[in-house]
């Protein structure tokens, strides 16, 4: 049983409620006018990331109370428990040690008395050897051709991290190796992924922690059939064209992939926290082992910052507490993540699993109702594209949508003044959201009175801006770890388990029950009337009846 009192009984919670009533009516214009240094004061730099959080609906008192809330929620002890390998994933009785995946050689982190760091590095070394062989052309396919195409088959955490990272780090990737990803059980995904490919030049990575996930197994079996069809059904080809990433060695062998071609990880790595594990094999193939190690070093730098920095200068803690502030005191339901870098176009999608599978919980570790709203919906698109789409609602809609802007000092693709234009836009958006445009300003500009309400920008819309020097592998690692630990901070305040995902189970079970009902002959259907009707209608569509 936890010794942390329920949220409502933590003194800082009540104090924040009273404080919210005082600060909510204050406009950011007013807060900035009262403190000309605010823009530099409410900023923090660590691990090469500059966080400007001055455009938030906060003052020093808010920050003090939020820090108190973190302390009264036992955040410090939770951090120590995670880093020391305690089984903080209590519903699955597992340690939570994605931080061990990024620990340097020589560090020591124990689970049940066993030091896991040497295991981590042994797998990284095996991955590096394999990646080098594939990238150099030493690894040959069944007919003696080198690998030109790599297809990662996986879903959720076994897909989104590699998809995002391969896109984010495309600048660093071997351009003579194409990387593709298959996740959806919709046959279109597989069919399009292999379109035009020569099986003799194609390598599949079957990535699944459990090696039982329906979608991944269906796609893996289709991939094997596709490959073997090209090799006259010679099952020996599997060894040259399939490798696996999993914690389930028995199921991998049963599939026909040799143990030597399996890269393992461990039950203390959650799917959505696994991109630094062997799940990152496709990323390593794309960018090479050295750059992959730089990515891990970036993660580690942020891990250490999170573990050691005082809360007032701790980037993930600040961001996590601000997320709680808006979700629970302003009733904000979503947070927009807006990277001003085209390479980060899949970053918001990646964050959706990281954040929402982690904080989409309604009960505390003890099974009691949380007593407050949890997990915001994270969403977003790269700027400037989003500006011509959904930003309208963020600027003038009726909902409060805190935004995280992400930008880089230097572009990887200098092209005329494109980068200055990009940066001018990200700075302008934060400014417009915070300060808006008043009716008086519009009238002074001679705007017709009938248009004044339409053209007014209320402002007072909060944002963080994250500025990094350049999108390097290390920078990406830092950014991902920043959000991982922000989620951890939110979870600690809410007292929830960020590391299980029981909410995905029911749909899986029901799909298994329905699948046999979709065969040729209609069985007796015993679902609700809506589900029964949908199944019958689908049968008619399928049969052209
Ligand atoms: O269904 C959700 C989930 O369990 C995710 O948490 C996980 O990342 C994904 O499925 C894939 O699981 P696996 O790697 O075991 O195939």
């Amino acid at each position: 049983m936890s010794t942390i009192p329920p949220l409502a009984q933590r003194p800082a919670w009540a104090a924040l409620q009273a404080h919210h009533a005082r600060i909510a009516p204050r406009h950011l214009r007013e807060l900035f006018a009262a403190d000309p240094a605010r823009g530099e004061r409410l900023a923090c730099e660590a691990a090469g990331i500059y966080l400007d959080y001055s455009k938030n609906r906060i003052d020093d008192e808010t920050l003090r109370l939020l820090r108190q809330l973190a302390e009264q929620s036992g955040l410090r002890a939770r951090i120590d428990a995670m880093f020391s390998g305690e089984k903080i994933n209590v519903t699955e009785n597992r340690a939570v040690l994605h931080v061990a995946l990024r620990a340097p050689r020589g560090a020591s982190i124990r689970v049940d008395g066993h030091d896991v760091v040497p295991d981590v590095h042994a797998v990284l070394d095996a991955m590096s050897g394999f990646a080098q062989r594939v990238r150099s052309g030493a690894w040959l396919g069944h007919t003696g051709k080198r690998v030109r195409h790599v297809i990662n088959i996986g879903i959720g955490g076994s897909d989104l991290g590699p998809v995002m990272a391969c896109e984010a780090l495309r600048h660093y990737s071997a351009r003579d190796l194409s990387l593709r990803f298959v996740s959806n059980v919709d046959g279109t995904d597989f069919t399009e992924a292999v379109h035009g490919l020569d099986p003799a030049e194609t390598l599949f990575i079957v990535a699944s922690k459990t090696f039982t996930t329906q979608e991944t197994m269906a796609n893996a079996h289709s991939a094997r059939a596709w490959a073997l069809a090209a090799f006259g059904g010679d099952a020996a080809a599997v060894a040259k064209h399939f490798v696996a990433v999993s914690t389930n060695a028995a199921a991998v062998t049963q599939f026909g992939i040799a143990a030597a071609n399996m890269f393992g990880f461990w039950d203390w790595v959650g799917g959505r926290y696994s991109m630094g594990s062997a799940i990152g094999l496709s990323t390593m193939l794309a960018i090479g082992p050295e750059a992959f190690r730089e990515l891990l070093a970036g993660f580690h730098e942020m891990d250490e910052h999170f573990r050691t920095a005082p809360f007032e200068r701790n980037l993930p803690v600040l961001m996590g507490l601000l997320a709680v502030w808006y979700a629970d005191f302003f009733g904000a339901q979503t947070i927009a993540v807006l990277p001003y870098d085209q390479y980060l176009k899949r970053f918001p999608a990646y964050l959706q699993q990281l954040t929402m599978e982690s904080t989409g919980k309604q009960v505390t570790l003890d099974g009691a109702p949380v007593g407050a709203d949890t997990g915001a919906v994270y969403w977003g698109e790269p700027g400037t594209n989003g500006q011509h789409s959904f930003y309208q609602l963020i600027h003038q809609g009726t909902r409060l949508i805190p935004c995280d802007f992400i930008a880089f000092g230097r572009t990887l693709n200098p092209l005329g003044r494109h980068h200055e234009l990009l940066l001018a836009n990200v700075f302008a958006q934060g400014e417009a959201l915070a300060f808006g445009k008043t009716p008086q300003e519009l009238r002074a500009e001679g705007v017709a009175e009938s248009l004044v309400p339409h053209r007014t920008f209320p402002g007072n819309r909060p944002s963080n801006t994250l500025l990094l020097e350049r999108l390097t592998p290390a920078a990406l690692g830092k950014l991902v770890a920043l959000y991982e630990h922000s989620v951890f901070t939110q979870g600690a305040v809410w007292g929830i388990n960020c590391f299980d995902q029981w909410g995905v189970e029911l749909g899986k079970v029901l799909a298994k029950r329905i699948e046999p009902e979709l065969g040729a002959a209609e069985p007796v259907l015993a679902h609700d009337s809506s589900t029964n009707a949908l199944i019958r209608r689908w049968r008619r569509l399928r049969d052209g009846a």
Side-chain angles (χ1 to χ4, degrees), residues 143-399:
T143 63
K145 287 187 172 177
R146 68 179 286 178
V147 172
R148 301 273 175 208
H149 315 285
V150 175
I151 302 187
N152 187 82
I153 298 177
I155 197 163
S158 300
D159 169 69
L160 288 162
V163 169
M164 181 277 289
C166 286
E167 192 58 47
L169 301 176
R170 187 183 286 271
H171 178 79
Y172 303 90
S173 65
R175 302 294 179 140
D176 57 352
L177 198 61
S178 81
L179 263 294
R180 302 185 185 196
F181 294 87
V182 176
S183 51
N184 201 330
V185 76
D186 181 346
T188 298
D189 205 7
F190 179 79
T191 307
E192 287 295 340
V194 296
H195 186 80
L197 299 192
D198 176 359
E201 298 183 333
T202 304
L203 174 79
F204 291 96
I205 301 174
V206 185
S208 174
K209 179 174 170 180
T210 55
F211 227 73
T212 58
T213 303
Q214 186 197 54
E215 294 91 329
T216 301
M217 293 335 299
N219 281 318
H221 283 284
S222 296
R224 190 168 58 179
W226 177 82
L228 292 193
F231 303 126
D234 185 354
V238 172
K240 296 288 181 193
H241 293 272
F242 285 81
V243 297
V245 176
S246 188
T247 59
N248 186 349
V252 169
T253 320
Q254 210 185 357
F255 181 85
I257 297 177
N261 292 342
M262 171 179 147
F263 301 90
F265 60 116
W266 306 271
D267 73 354
W268 40 261
V269 183
R272 54 194 172 276
Y273 296 90
S274 67
M275 63 173 273
S277 73
I279 289 293
L281 184 61
S282 50
T283 313
M284 190 189 270
L285 283 165
I287 64 174
E290 215 172 294
F292 194 81
R293 299 238 182 215
E294 286 168 27
L295 172 77
L296 295 180
F299 268 108
H300 180 65
E301 201 176 333
M302 183 55 73
D303 293 342
E304 282 303 284
H305 166 71
F306 179 55
R307 188 176 68 80
T308 59
F311 289 170
E312 64 265 35
R313 293 197 306 277
N314 193 312
L315 298 184
V317 170
L318 285 166
M319 285 184 64
L321 290 174
L322 287 167
V324 170
W325 175 235
Y326 291 118
D328 291 342
F329 297 90
F330 284 85
Q333 295 187 337
T334 81
I335 292 180
V337 180
L338 309 163
Y340 276 64
D341 191 297
Q342 189 61 18
Y343 283 127
L344 289 182
K345 70 176 182 213
R346 296 306 305 267
F347 191 62
Y350 169 77
L351 282 189
Q352 289 190 325
Q353 188 199 14
L354 173 64
T355 58
M356 297 200 276
E357 207 168 49
S358 298
T359 62
K361 311 289 160 67
Q362 54 189 341
V363 295
T364 63
L365 295 168
D366 296 337
V370 174
D373 276 334
T374 58
V377 173
Y378 278 71
W379 61 285
E381 282 288 325
T384 58
N385 293 10
Q387 291 175 205
H388 299 272
S389 162
F390 52 80
Y391 277 40
Q392 166 67 39
L393 186 146
I394 307 180
H395 282 288
Q396 285 190 314
T398 54
R399 296 173 191 279

Side-chain angles (χ1 to χ4, degrees), residues 121-141:
H121 284 273
V123 174
L124 281 172
D125 291 343
M127 289 164 64
S128 302
F130 174 71
Q132 259 147 5
R133 272 181 287 153
V134 172
R135 286 165 62 89
S136 68
W139 178 282
L140 297 177

